[in-house]
Amino acid sequence: MCFDLGLLVVTVAVAVLWRAENPASVSSVVLAVTVLSAIGILVINMGLGFYQRVHNRTLGQTRARAVLSLCLSLSLAYIIFRLSPLTPQDEKTFLLALIAAVALLLIHRIYMAHATPRAMMRQRVLVFGSGERARLVGRTLKNSDPSVDLVGYYASPNEAVAEISGWALLSPQKSLTDIVIDERVDEIVVALSERRGGSMPLRELLDCKLHGVRVVDIATHFEKTFGQIRRDSVSAGWLIFGDGFRQGVVRTAVKRIFDLLCATLLIVLASPLMLLTGAFILLESGGPILYRQERVGLNGRLFNVIKFRSMRLDAEQDGKPRWAQAADDRVTRVGRFIRKLRIDELPQLFSVLSGDMSLVGPRPERPYFVDKLTQELPYYAVRQSVKPGVTGWAQVRYHYGASVEDAAEKLQYDLYYVKNHSLFLDLVVLFETVGVVLMGKGAQ
């Protein structure tokens, strides 16, 4: 971050002062505007995850975030410049220098995230625990995060059953603090099956934290590292007393204004495509072009979602709801194409205008499946505390769900969104949705 701050400040300030007629008279203003813009850009990049030491994004997802960062950074810097006493003559130099500096910065961030030798980006993690939860953390880290070196497992004396083989357990003859220092541990994940009865050495964990080691519980680890809240690692107490899950009047108003503006713009831009899609549906199988289906929305309220018809008219002639499957024979030829590119979802933008849906949120499900999943999956009803979305965090992070097991996996991403949703996260989801659509991922 210090490197990026220096790059932005030096590049922009030197360029503006070099072109200024009287550099001495405007130097303090130029420096103030440049530093303020640079700090804002760093905050944007921090929110987009460019300074995370460990991540599981693909190269395409990082590029999408870089484009979003560039758009937001230039908009912010332009506003700051226009509010400053600098003259319009300096505007072109300021913006050109800023574009060059931000582009160079983002190229460097992408390189650091994906092309840097792994040895320079590795994180050493120690799992505190030896039970089922500890085994879950270790297995997930090994399978999902190649940047992590799993130091080992430090067993609690009060855990009755050990699920970890002996070779992976660290020596109980040494204190936790000594092991952390000797093994150069960066993070401790507390993954105990039972925390009562003195299972956690609080003093030693505090000493580790004072030595600069991150100490997190299993739920926080999965949330921060993988962008999900795992159902098997949280409790009702963690959800209630933890940060997040804020709705608020301001956030609701900002989200609604954002939905109205974006939905209107998208409808205008996509109207030729929607007319063409309707014509192809009529040519292949006749009417109707659209279909309505009852879905569950905010706080369990029912509404009718509108989509382009992509299946045969007799798709559910027996009246029994069924999950859509891969290579579903009920899907028409036009339907298969529009589902692949998500064109069938475009009429839902009118549901956004009416207030039944948002641009970003959990996927709206049918009442039959909601009743079934609420009984089988704990915390499933939490999804209904926000409006359902045309796209969502779960949709861009996980493939199309067609079973209870898939719904359980997607629920973990939906819980993360409900807990952390913000305008910033909505923008990230929208940009990643573009990448998902262009690559044709996750469609049925």
Side-chain angles (χ1 to χ4, degrees), residues 126-131 134 153-162 164 169-172 176 190-202 204-205:
L126 180 148
V127 179
F128 184 75
S130 59
Y153 303 82
Y154 191 85
S156 168
N158 292 349
E159 282 191 302
V161 180
I164 307 300
L169 291 173
L170 298 169
S171 173
L176 177 62
V190 179
L192 296 175
S193 302
E194 177 58 64
R195 292 192 180 187
R196 293 174 294 182
S199 297
M200 286 200 299
L202 298 179
E204 289 190 73
L205 288 173

Side-chain angles (χ1 to χ4, degrees), residues 75-297:
S75 300
L76 174 65
Y78 181 75
I79 293 172
I80 294 174
F81 180 89
R82 298 300 294 178
L83 294 176
S84 74
L86 292 175
T87 63
Q89 287 78 8
D90 299 320
E91 181 178 324
K92 184 177 181 181
T93 303
F94 177 82
L95 292 178
L96 288 176
L98 188 71
I99 291 173
V102 173
L104 184 60
L105 181 155
L106 292 173
I107 291 172
H108 180 246
R109 286 292 117 212
I110 295 172
Y111 172 81
M112 292 296 291
H114 296 280
T116 302
R118 288 294 182 183
M120 296 178 61
M121 300 295 292
R122 301 200 73 81
Q123 183 184 43
R124 295 178 63 78
V125 175
L126 180 148
V127 179
F128 184 75
S130 59
E132 176 59 32
R133 287 192 167 193
R135 189 167 66 89
L136 170 65
V137 171
R139 184 176 69 246
T140 305
L141 286 174
K142 291 177 181 178
N143 294 339
S144 306
D145 200 340
S147 299
V148 163
D149 283 330
L150 185 58
V151 173
Y153 303 82
Y154 191 85
S156 168
N158 292 349
E159 282 191 302
V161 180
E163 298 286 342
I164 307 300
S165 58
W167 65 267
L169 291 173
L170 298 169
S171 173
Q173 305 303 319
K174 299 175 68 175
S175 69
L176 177 62
T177 307
D178 290 339
I179 289 179
V180 165
I181 294 174
D182 293 344
E183 297 291 340
R184 305 185 310 283
V185 172
D186 299 306
E187 180 175 290
I188 299 173
V189 181
V190 179
L192 296 175
S193 302
E194 177 58 64
R195 292 192 180 187
R196 293 174 294 182
S199 297
M200 286 200 299
L202 298 179
R203 179 63 199 181
E204 289 190 73
L205 288 173
L206 179 59
D207 286 341
C208 293
K209 190 168 186 177
L210 293 175
H211 277 87
V213 178
R214 290 182 299 276
V215 180
V216 298
D217 63 8
I218 181 174
T220 303
H221 167 75
F222 280 111
E223 180 186 5
K224 300 300 183 185
T225 305
F226 300 107
Q228 59 178 214
I229 296 177
R230 293 187 65 94
R231 299 176 301 108
D232 49 14
S233 65
V234 300
S235 63
W238 188 87
L239 296 174
I240 293 170
F241 295 112
D243 294 331
F245 295 103
R246 302 185 187 94
Q247 305 298 333
V249 176
V250 175
R251 167 58 183 152
T252 302
V254 170
K255 187 174 178 67
R256 181 60 181 152
I257 294 170
F258 178 77
D259 285 342
L260 288 173
L261 293 176
C262 291
T264 302
L265 177 62
L266 289 172
I267 288 173
V268 172
L269 295 176
S271 55
L273 179 60
M274 289 194 283
L275 290 173
L276 193 61
T277 300
F280 276 113
I281 293 174
L282 281 175
L283 288 173
E284 181 184 23
S285 55
I289 297 172
L290 304 173
Y291 82 95
R292 296 174 180 266
Q293 193 174 71
E294 196 173 55
R295 300 289 176 99
V296 178

Side-chain angles (χ1 to χ4, degrees), residues 348-421:
Q348 293 182 74
L349 293 171
F350 293 100
S351 295
V352 175
L353 293 181
S354 68
D356 291 324
M357 295 180 65
S358 176
L359 274 178
V360 181
R363 177 184 175 86
E365 294 291 355
R366 301 169 69 175
Y368 172 84
F369 294 123
V370 170
D371 292 341
K372 179 181 177 64
L373 294 171
T374 301
Q375 295 174 8
E376 297 187 20
L377 303 177
Y379 313 120
Y380 189 82
V382 174
R383 301 170 74 256
Q384 298 166 24
S385 63
V386 297
K387 286 183 181 179
V390 179
T391 184
W393 184 243
Q395 285 91 305
V396 299
R397 307 297 288 184
Y398 190 78
H399 59 76
Y400 188 92
S403 66
V404 175
E405 291 74 20
D406 287 332
E409 289 294 325
K410 296 185 75 170
L411 173 61
Q412 298 176 142
Y413 293 104
D414 285 332
L415 290 175
Y416 176 88
Y417 177 79
V418 176
K419 183 176 185 292
N420 298 284
H421 74 94

